[in-house]
Amino acid sequence: MIKLYDKAECPFCWKVRLALKHCGVEFAALGLDDPANKAAWEKLTPFGTVPVMEAGDIVIDQSGIMLDFLEDRYHCLLPQDEAPRVKARTLVYYSDNVIGRGIKDVVFEKREKPEAEWDLEVIEGGRRQWEEDLPYLADALGDQPYMAGEYSMADCALAARFGMAGAYGLNIPENHANLRQWFARVVEGDHGFRETAPPVVLEWLARA
Ligand SMILES: N[C@@H](CCC(=O)N[C@@H](CS)C(=O)NCC(=O)O)C(=O)O
């Protein structure tokens, strides 16, 4: 059984949980709030980050390499043709390095402080950044059902980011109807979204 040292709200971790689910791989998510898990995790990574995956003798401490590992082993995360494979990987990169920046500002501001102490300028700046980073994704998606045509690692990565965005008050503006439909498809489809979501996202979905 694969072990995944993780944190519920970490988007890199959620991306991997979604990928494992999609590939039909059984795994144990080991939260670092348990001191035994934390001690085991510390020995496995020089980076000090989550997620860390243990698959038998194989230890992986970068989420992108975990996706590649699952794809290599199970052929479950990328389309067959070359162009959509490149596109899926490019969108994972965008998810890891670009779309998260506005979301992170908002999440950190809201999560770490009581509402009375929120810096509204930081939150507004994060919202603006989020909205500036969306058109690239709307163009990439176009009228396809999923980011690279069929469901792929790109959808796993972006579903986690959009889930966290929604839970912390960042909506998909109405002018991006295709992104709204894509997100609804990911949440409501058989993709393990709810089963792998952190509590804050489930609470948001229950309210919405
Ligand atoms: N390049 C790493 C980035 C992972 C990462 O930044 N994880 C964050 C949590 S979302 C982390 O562990 N930060 C340090 C910490 O939480 O102490 C990967 O893709 O796995």
Side-chain angles (χ1 to χ4, degrees), residues 23-90:
C23 297
V25 178
E26 289 230 23
F27 66 101
L30 306 174
L32 296 194
D33 33 343
D34 178 327
N37 293 342
K38 190 158 185 219
W41 161 80
E42 269 164 359
K43 291 196 190 115
L44 293 174
T45 171
F47 293 99
T49 54
V50 282
V52 170
M53 180 186 279
E54 245 188 313
D57 292 342
I58 296 175
V59 177
I60 311 173
D61 57 17
Q62 293 299 315
S63 63
I65 299 175
M66 295 173 205
L67 299 185
D68 286 341
F69 166 75
L70 292 173
E71 168 60 20
D72 289 348
R73 189 180 264 194
Y74 302 106
H75 309 294
C76 51
L77 291 175
L78 288 175
Q80 247 190 324
D81 291 344
E82 200 169 48
R85 287 172 82 86
V86 169
K87 184 169 181 178
R89 289 196 155 113
T90 304

Side-chain angles (χ1 to χ4, degrees), residues 7 9-13 15-16 32 41 47-52 60-66 96-97 104 108 111 161:
K7 291 184 182 172
E9 288 193 25
C10 161
F12 298 97
C13 302
K15 168 181 76 175
V16 175
L32 296 194
W41 161 80
F47 293 99
T49 54
V50 282
V52 170
I60 311 173
D61 57 17
Q62 293 299 315
S63 63
I65 299 175
M66 295 173 205
D96 287 354
N97 295 291
K104 187 175 175 190
F108 278 38
R111 190 167 59 188
R161 296 288 175 177

Side-chain angles (χ1 to χ4, degrees), residues 105-114 118 123 168-170:
D105 287 347
V106 173
V107 170
F108 278 38
E109 191 60 28
K110 289 190 171 179
R111 190 167 59 188
E112 318 266 298
K113 300 176 188 168
W118 288 352
I123 292 172
Y168 283 88
L170 292 172

Side-chain angles (χ1 to χ4, degrees), residues 59-196:
V59 177
I60 311 173
D61 57 17
Q62 293 299 315
S63 63
I65 299 175
M66 295 173 205
L67 299 185
D68 286 341
F69 166 75
L70 292 173
E71 168 60 20
D72 289 348
R73 189 180 264 194
Y74 302 106
H75 309 294
C76 51
L77 291 175
L78 288 175
Q80 247 190 324
D81 291 344
E82 200 169 48
R85 287 172 82 86
V86 169
K87 184 169 181 178
R89 289 196 155 113
T90 304
L91 290 170
V92 171
Y93 192 86
Y94 192 82
S95 180
D96 287 354
N97 295 291
V98 180
I99 198 70
R101 54 194 173 177
I103 306 169
K104 187 175 175 190
D105 287 347
V106 173
V107 170
F108 278 38
E109 191 60 28
K110 289 190 171 179
R111 190 167 59 188
E112 318 266 298
K113 300 176 188 168
E115 189 166 350
E117 290 172 25
W118 288 352
D119 184 332
L120 298 182
E121 267 181 46
V122 170
I123 292 172
E124 180 52 20
R127 192 193 56 75
R128 230 179 293 121
Q129 186 68 63
W130 155 253
E131 291 191 4
E132 277 173 26
D133 292 338
L134 285 176
Y136 174 85
L137 290 177
D139 283 352
L141 176 63
D143 58 6
Q144 304 180 105
Y146 295 105
M147 288 291 167
E150 62 193 70
Y151 189 91
S152 74
M153 56 171 71
D155 302 289
C156 298
L158 288 162
R161 296 288 175 177
F162 277 62
M164 287 300 290
Y168 283 88
L170 292 172
N171 300 317
I172 308 169
E174 277 177 27
N175 59 321
H176 295 311
N178 65 341
L179 285 178
R180 291 167 77 108
Q181 285 156 8
W182 163 80
F183 188 57
R185 204 171 287 128
V186 166
V187 173
E188 300 309 332
D190 188 16
H191 301 296
F193 185 86
R194 283 187 163 82
E195 292 101 300
T196 56

